[in-house]
Amino acid sequence: MSGMTVGSYWPLALLVVLPVVWFLAWRNRVGAGRLRMTSATVLRSLALVAIVFALMRPTLQIKSADLSVAYVVDISASVSPHFLDQALKWIGQVNAKHKPAQSRLVVFADRAKLLDSVDEARSLTVATGDGPRSRQDLIHQSATNLETGLLAAVPGFEAGSIKRIVLLSDGNETEGDVWRALARLRAEGVRVFTIPAETTAENDAWVAAIVVPEGVHERTAVDVEARLFSQQRAAAQVDLLIGDRVAASRAVVLAPGDNRVAFNVHFLRAGLQRVTARVRAKGDQFPGNDALTDEVLVRPRLRVLFVEGGKSGARYLADALTEQGMRVSSASPQNLSDDARLLADKDVVILSDVRADSLSRDASQRLQAFVRDQGGGLIFVAGENTYGQEGFAKSEVEKLLPVKFEAKRKRQDIDLVLLLDRSSSMRRGKIEAAKSAAMATVDLLDPEQGLAVVAFDSMPQSVVPLAPVGDKRKAQELISRMTSSGQTNIYTALLEAQRLLMQSKAEVKHIILLSDGYTARAPDNPSQSGRGSRGRTRFVNGSDPWPKDEEPLANGFRSIVSELAAANITLSTVILGEGYDLEFMCTIAKWGHGRCYLAKTDEDTPGLFVGEIRRLRGDSVVEEPFRPHVKAWSPTIAGVDFAAAPALKGYVESKPKRFSDVLLEAKKDLPLLAETHYGLGKTVLFASDAKDRWAADWLRWPGYSTLWAQVVRDSARRDAGDGLSWRVVRDGSNALVQLTALGAGGSFRNGLWPQARVTAPSGSSSVVALRQVAPGRYAAQVPLTASVSAPWHFELLASRGISAAEVARAGARNLFYAYSDEYRLLPANLPLLRALSEQTGGVFTPAAEQIFKPLGDGGVTSAPLWRYFVAVALLLFLIDILVRRAPWLWHRAR
């Protein structure tokens, strides 16, 4: 297919001369010269037209079937030399067989060269290994730059030909960005055919990264993670060195791909520490990438102020933190109130089981300033004394915490009747559970609060008469004598409770009924049957308590419970038994304006009684066993196995604030461990205690020390005052220098001109300027070359706005770059190679025939036509001269 294009159209305007030429020719016609004049005019007109077409620069576009192919070969260190040798042989064979119109060769690693033949590629000199890239004429094998390799092929194509690139590479680029070349390739109509290359080694393992958490402190246990990559499954020895000391070792079996190996280690001194991870895998073929070194800034030991409000001997938490390498100072609430200097050098303050009235207003305000303005950490550990007097509700301390406390309500007068089913269905462990629940209730009530215990089967029997609890031991002894026998009649038991409470003057009059719900019927008509009547003796079945034909029988229970409610006597039910009538028990609890509880096991029964009593009294302290539930993940609780943790025995109820993070729950929507940020610091609430009352079983749990060490570390003071903080991190083959400059109170220092001196492993040095990239933040980028001999050294310089004293406090930094990423011998990046072919219309892993197959993308050649029109015009001009200068032709014609 062909077509024609023109360069411009303005020469067409010259055609207006033609009418003038013909007009003048007509005016000059004479007898015998008329034919000669007409012929000359035609010749001159055609010559003018030819000149006009020549000035329009016409071009003929002719589609070409010539194919131009460029073989782009990756010769970086990660590609197998055997593969390269086979690739060059294959290129020669393919060219000889398919005979493309043009063939070029591009070899590349960190840079590219366009060559004319395979022989030229074989004789090419390259630089091997890491090190400074001093010679710009050499290709250095220590990097892979796909972008450079592909773009180098474009100028080598024959104009107007079909353009094909055959890329032979592992696709693991360490420099450049191949996708930046995509637009140019598309614009040039280049199709890319990709062939994955084999890597240098088939069995290699290396250290990809060392991960150290922020805020590492001297002598404090910390988890350091070595991230490894292995090409094959292999047994290996992994060592972690701090300085030259082997701090930990592990024998592992590496899986193909990414592996993570964690070490729990201690840094024995503060300051910059060198950390090295080393892997020795069985059958490793390339030892040059087996070790990686990084530098960690270790802060001094954490300083903790432990304030205990309970008994003086409760130092379990303080001792655990001391074993974790922290400096723990103990103080009483009175010390904290009297001595303003206690907080001066502390990173964290722990308030453990402290009464609100034991902290002065000045102490609370100092804690507030410590957290908000100085970035300190505050950990509030609850306990039985937390609600002393009015508690912490609406206090200065509560403002700092992630929760709100419910103000403890005034103790109310209570008269309580326990109705305990002792029928034959309550034999064995159930009667013992009922007695335990009753004894727990006795233990919980205040001596002046009233209690009656009624055991019932077919008839009620008073075990403990209604009276102030007084001597709890006597009441518990009476309860312990209970035995089980007989059938069940709940109606008569309710009548007995009504009789006991009708004359009560207490603010709260309440009944707790414990039974499985299988009972004799209430009288059909209680008003006629009398209070002492047992009524009919039909029993409620578990599936349908009141069948449709016997629904009137429910009126007896509804009537008695309604009378109780009218007298402000409330009723709650606790269901216990292997078979039970849940609907019946919950229905009468609903009528009685109480709650219905189901004891899933006998052991749950006392806790349900205790919870109900606390609900009645309005207590926020709940003493019942529970297991923590993880609500959200956080570094604070990372790695702690709460599924293996013993139960805690109590907690304090609170409500999380809007922007707090609840990590552990005691019960649904009741926080156990919560945290929040307050100003520059952080505060944490633990709603149980940390000593031998509620956490008695936790003291022997291995996770106790781990959890509290992490809670303290994660809440400790951060750098929040004025000064400079900076770091140097590696990003590929560059170092990123990042500096944060803060003023008093954490304000940003803008408009500075920071500078850093960079010393290369070779000893040469240079100075780089950091530019401002955000409020108070400055950055610079420094090109790197790998060196196993020494690290890169960075140090700040005093400059405008930055004093020499600040530079000295900030210290220097080292960046270890022992080997380039080229020596991380990853498998071929098949997704990248496949996507590159798809995006350009090529083929991934093609057969040779597919590379040379016509795909309707033939090139176009351009043939300029203007010279032909000039030649025609010249020829016509010569003929015109002949016509005018040879009159004898015209005489002969006459």
Side-chain angles (χ1 to χ4, degrees), residues 133-169:
R133 302 175 190 176
S134 53
R135 290 186 57 181
Q136 298 301 314
D137 60 323
L138 291 181
I139 295 177
H140 290 254
Q141 292 185 295
S142 58
T144 299
N145 193 324
L146 290 172
E147 178 187 7
T148 296
L150 291 172
L151 292 180
V154 175
F157 288 118
E158 185 73 31
S161 63
I162 301 172
K163 301 172 183 177
R164 303 281 168 87
I165 285 179
V166 180
L167 174 64
L168 300 94
S169 172

Side-chain angles (χ1 to χ4, degrees), residues 24-282:
L24 294 175
W26 180 78
R27 289 283 303 270
N28 293 330
R29 70 188 185 281
V30 292
R34 182 178 303 168
L35 181 57
R36 186 176 66 175
M37 181 60 68
T38 300
S39 299
T41 303
V42 170
L43 291 170
R44 291 172 185 176
S45 297
L46 291 175
L48 177 61
V49 170
I51 291 173
V52 168
F53 280 131
L55 291 174
M56 291 175 69
R57 301 192 308 277
T59 303
L60 184 64
Q61 304 291 335
I62 303 172
K63 192 163 187 178
S64 171
D66 291 341
L67 187 142
S68 181
V69 60
Y71 300 94
V72 180
V73 183
D74 183 352
I75 62 170
S76 63
S78 61
V79 176
S80 165
H82 174 73
F83 174 84
L84 290 178
D85 183 62
Q86 294 301 312
L88 293 178
K89 290 180 181 178
W90 176 80
I91 291 171
Q93 294 168 358
V94 167
N95 275 343
K97 179 178 180 180
H98 294 277
K99 296 181 173 59
Q102 184 207 32
S103 172
R104 303 295 295 274
L105 182 66
V106 174
V107 293
F108 75 97
D110 71 320
R111 54 176 62 90
K113 281 191 176 183
L114 181 62
L115 308 175
D116 293 319
S117 67
V118 169
D119 291 337
E120 194 175 351
R122 291 187 184 278
S123 61
L124 187 68
T125 301
V126 298
T128 60
D130 284 321
R133 302 175 190 176
S134 53
R135 290 186 57 181
Q136 298 301 314
D137 60 323
L138 291 181
I139 295 177
H140 290 254
Q141 292 185 295
S142 58
T144 299
N145 193 324
L146 290 172
E147 178 187 7
T148 296
L150 291 172
L151 292 180
V154 175
F157 288 118
E158 185 73 31
S161 63
I162 301 172
K163 301 172 183 177
R164 303 281 168 87
I165 285 179
V166 180
L167 174 64
L168 300 94
S169 172
D170 61 8
N172 294 311
E173 56 180 344
T174 59
E175 291 183 3
D177 185 353
V178 67
W179 303 116
R180 289 197 299 241
L182 190 61
R184 175 78 184 278
L185 296 174
R186 284 175 169 173
E188 296 284 344
V190 180
R191 295 178 185 265
V192 180
F193 296 74
T194 53
I195 299 176
E198 298 173 3
T199 56
T200 301
E202 296 180 354
N203 184 11
D204 186 35
W206 63 89
V207 183
I210 301 173
V211 181
V212 183
E214 292 187 11
V216 176
H217 290 270
E218 174 190 7
R219 298 191 184 182
T220 301
V222 62
D223 287 328
V224 177
E225 184 179 79
R227 295 184 178 176
L228 314 173
F229 191 94
S230 179
Q231 292 181 324
Q232 295 185 5
R233 184 177 182 85
Q237 178 78 21
V238 185
D239 302 323
L240 188 77
L241 290 78
I242 300 177
D244 297 325
R245 173 179 63 92
V246 177
S249 294
R250 285 188 60 184
V252 298
V253 176
L254 300 176
D258 292 313
N259 296 264
R260 299 187 176 192
V261 180
F263 299 93
N264 188 264
V265 296
H266 296 76
F267 290 87
L268 301 182
R269 61 183 181 85
L272 290 172
Q273 299 288 300
R274 191 174 74 248
V275 180
T276 303
R278 183 175 62 201
V279 60
R280 288 172 288 185
K282 185 176 181 180

Side-chain angles (χ1 to χ4, degrees), residues 380 382 387 392-395 397-406 652-662 664 669-676 683-687:
F380 185 97
Y387 275 96
F392 285 93
K394 299 181 180 180
S395 67
V397 172
E398 188 194 59
K399 293 179 182 179
L400 309 177
L401 299 179
V403 300
K404 291 182 179 180
F405 295 110
E406 296 291 336
V652 173
E653 289 187 355
S654 61
K655 292 183 179 179
K657 292 180 181 177
R658 182 178 178 185
F659 296 109
S660 65
D661 295 318
V662 178
L664 300 176
D669 299 326
L670 292 177
L672 173 64
L673 181 65
E675 61 185 19
T676 191
T683 64
V684 178
L685 164 92
F686 187 72

Side-chain angles (χ1 to χ4, degrees), residues 494 497-498 502 511 559-571:
L494 292 174
Q498 182 186 44
M502 286 302 292
I511 302 169
S559 176
I560 182 62
V561 176
S562 296
E563 289 180 15
L564 292 172
N568 293 322
I569 300 172
T570 54
L571 168 67

Side-chain angles (χ1 to χ4, degrees), residues 660-708:
S660 65
D661 295 318
V662 178
L663 309 182
L664 300 176
E665 286 185 334
K667 300 288 184 181
K668 183 173 176 57
D669 299 326
L670 292 177
L672 173 64
L673 181 65
E675 61 185 19
T676 191
H677 289 277
Y678 183 82
L680 297 175
K682 186 175 184 179
T683 64
V684 178
L685 164 92
F686 187 72
S688 187
D689 68 13
K691 51 188 179 182
D692 57 352
R693 183 174 176 87
W694 297 340
D697 295 335
W698 269 35
L699 301 178
R700 296 180 296 275
W701 173 48
Y704 176 83
S705 296
T706 302
L707 172 64
W708 281 113

